[in-house]
Amino acid sequence: VQLVESGGGSVQAGESLTLSCAASGFSLDHYAIAWFRQAPGADREGISCIDRSDGYTYYADSVKGRFTLSKDNAKSTVFLQMNSLSPEDTAVYYCAAAYQCSLSPEELTYWGQGTQVTVSP
């Protein structure tokens, strides 16, 4: 089982980025995928999750209305579209897998290595 994030980078406030999480070793039909982020000195924050079966999505209040999560089961890839980025969104972003959706990091089983997102004013 492996998760690999990509798409991070440096942008200015108000711009957009799309992160990808490529899964291997398992099917997205069988695992929910969640995104977390961790800023320096802060706890890891769960921001979004997509269900394994019906593709229902969950969002933290901090990103609701700005971030959109989707997946392509055939490509085993989950996409996190991030719009209207602000400096407060600067963090390392991780994707993680579990049988059921959760925004609590202790409930996720498999983790990627993370990708840095930096938003300048």
Side-chain angles (χ1 to χ4, degrees):
V1 174
Q2 188 176 20
L3 296 168
V4 178
E5 303 94 337
S6 62
S10 296
V11 297
Q12 292 191 325
E15 294 184 342
S16 300
L17 271 178
T18 299
L19 304 183
S20 299
C21 174
S24 60
F26 65 94
S27 169
L28 295 184
D29 289 330
H30 299 152
Y31 281 86
I33 301 293
W35 281 90
F36 293 79
R37 65 186 181 184
Q38 189 164 21
D43 293 334
R44 192 164 293 192
E45 176 192 12
I47 57 173
S48 187
C49 189
I50 188 163
D51 266 339
R52 57 186 167 86
S53 55
D54 58 9
Y56 190 84
T57 51
Y58 303 84
Y59 298 95
D61 288 344
S62 58
V63 305
K64 196 174 295 182
R66 299 188 300 123
F67 290 12
T68 302
L69 191 58
S70 62
K71 66 176 180 173
D72 185 333
N73 284 357
K75 296 182 178 179
S76 294
T77 303
V78 174
F79 304 97
L80 182 66
Q81 172 70 40
M82 307 186 295
N83 297 327
S84 302
L85 287 164
S86 72
E88 289 71 32
D89 295 314
T90 295
V92 177
Y93 283 70
Y94 301 88
C95 64
Y99 186 68
Q100 291 184 329
C101 257
S102 176
L103 297 185
S104 299
E106 63 271 15
E107 296 182 3
L108 280 294
T109 306
Y110 303 106
W111 289 83
Q113 82 289 349
T115 186
Q116 176 71 46
V117 172
T118 303
V119 185
S120 57

